[in-house]
Amino acid sequence: MKITKVRAVAHQVQNTITGWKISLGSKDTHELIFVRIDSDEGIFGVGIASPGAIYISGDTGIHHLELINNIFGPAIVGADPFALEAIMRNLDSLTRSAERAKAGIDLALHDLMGKALGVPANRLFGGAVHEGVRVNRLMGMYPPREMAEKCKAVVEKGYTALKLKVGTTLQEDVERVQRVREAVGPEVMITIDFNQACSPKEAIQRIRKMEPYDVAIVEQPVKAADLKGLALVRQSVQPRVMADESVNNAAEALRIIESGAADIISLKIPKMGGIFKVRKIAAVCEAAGIEYLVGTAPGSQLLDAANVHLAVSLRNLTLPCEIGEFERMANDPCRGLEVVRGISRPPQGPGMGIEVDLAKIGLAG
């Protein structure tokens, strides 16, 4: 089997929840890049690249399209789609960055390979060791009372884990956590995510005031490059500390581990370059005995299906994962994934197991 064609198109989805924001900014529409890879045997795969907001990723959808259609695509035409190591090495030789665009290629290849073999994508990298994944639902940075009301509604749907976006003032952040805890009760797991909003001392002060409300995990309280500050926070508070923006590849994961900066690493398919590379980072975590979970990016059922396939294959996974954000997106051309009572299971069809309306996004034929 050989790759014969690679195409990418942009598609907009809209956030159906008004007022959703994080400390770095807000965005109500999200540009996704759908990637189709065809083969000489008539089998094709569809992947998705998530450029993310420019204030997070520093990249744009236009750049993704240019890379995939004019550089990455032509470079892999003629390759065996099962030769993932060689393909990714080839793409890395063209640019040492642009991991989000590479992730779109990676997911399309996994979809293609699964379809060629007639197996779900997770069978391509060891198969499932978990039947399903407990889902951690994200909550935007609303005023405290509104956040509590929205969290209660989510928990009533069966979710048992929440991630609260914080990062305004000390008083408001603490009140958010207090009101949410009072609204959802003692059994729900709460993670708070600062998205780099604080200095180390500010983070320590806020987290200590939140500790009476049983916060389980604190995500990225300080700037991504401040590993000393992240380590100081970890040493000074009771909740476990998770690194997100500080980790984009295996080398950065190793630096986090060596500096004792975090208890947990968030694994994200888009920013880490796809499933193939994420699993290498997971192996580093496993070797070091550090926990991990699968994080998310706003997007489509196709991206979250990839997240589920990845999550169920991770042997040391015990934490809830950030799967299901597709539920707050309108105009998604994909179908086939659901979250039932706070649990998501991988689609059983070949490849990603997701039905994509190719005509809607301009990739039919």
Side-chain angles (χ1 to χ4, degrees), residues 270-336:
K271 71 171 185 176
M272 292 177 173
I275 293 172
F276 185 71
K277 289 184 176 180
V278 169
R279 285 186 55 82
K280 292 189 174 187
I281 298 170
V284 171
C285 294
E286 290 166 6
I290 190 170
E291 292 187 275
Y292 49 51
L293 57 77
V294 176
T296 193
S300 163
Q301 289 192 35
L302 182 58
L303 177 56
D304 272 325
N307 284 329
V308 179
H309 282 294
L310 169 65
V312 297
S313 76
L314 296 173
R315 62 167 67 188
N316 289 355
L317 181 70
T318 60
L319 295 169
C321 295
E322 299 161 12
I323 295 161
E325 295 311 304
F326 65 87
E327 291 188 345
R328 62 181 174 90
M329 294 297 163
N331 200 33
D332 185 357
C334 303
R335 294 292 179 271

Side-chain angles (χ1 to χ4, degrees), residues 97-226:
S97 57
E99 296 306 298
R100 290 172 179 266
K102 294 171 188 174
I105 298 284
D106 171 283
L107 296 189
L109 288 172
H110 279 95
D111 190 46
L112 193 162
M113 291 186 290
K115 289 174 179 175
L117 297 176
V119 299
N122 65 75
R123 293 283 298 278
L124 301 170
F125 37 87
V129 293
H130 312 284
E131 290 186 4
V133 183
R134 184 181 172 201
V135 174
N136 189 0
R137 284 309 304 271
L138 277 61
M139 186 57 58
M141 198 166 56
Y142 298 100
R145 289 181 183 274
E146 185 178 0
M147 179 180 276
E149 291 171 359
K150 290 181 179 294
C151 286
K152 184 177 180 180
V154 168
V155 169
E156 287 173 350
K157 294 179 181 180
Y159 292 94
T160 60
L162 298 167
K163 184 166 91 168
L164 315 180
K165 296 291 187 176
V166 296
T168 52
T169 66
L170 182 152
Q171 181 178 350
E172 194 171 38
D173 282 347
V174 174
E175 186 182 352
R176 285 187 176 101
V177 177
Q178 177 184 0
R179 289 191 178 275
V180 169
R181 176 56 74 198
E182 291 170 350
V184 303
E187 302 302 320
V188 174
M189 179 179 176
I190 292 179
T191 296
I192 59 169
D193 184 5
F194 285 97
N195 288 110
Q196 311 178 66
C198 296
S199 70
K201 287 187 177 181
E202 288 172 338
I204 291 166
Q205 182 184 27
R206 295 187 192 195
I207 296 163
R208 284 178 174 171
K209 288 184 176 294
M210 295 172 181
E211 285 175 357
Y213 310 112
D214 192 22
V215 172
I217 298 171
V218 175
E219 181 174 343
Q220 201 66 53
V222 302
K223 297 298 183 184
D226 187 6

Side-chain angles (χ1 to χ4, degrees), residues 27-78:
K27 190 173 176 62
D28 292 328
T29 62
H30 300 273
E31 185 175 33
L32 304 177
I33 307 298
F34 283 87
V35 182
R36 173 169 169 165
I37 298 180
D38 288 87
S39 73
D40 58 357
E41 295 185 12
I43 301 170
F44 65 89
V46 181
I48 187 168
S50 178
I54 193 165
Y55 54 77
I56 294 176
S57 68
D59 209 345
T60 65
I62 292 174
H63 185 219
H64 278 59
L65 291 172
E66 170 69 20
L67 283 170
I68 296 169
N69 285 325
N70 299 326
I71 299 175
F72 291 164
I76 67 173
V77 167

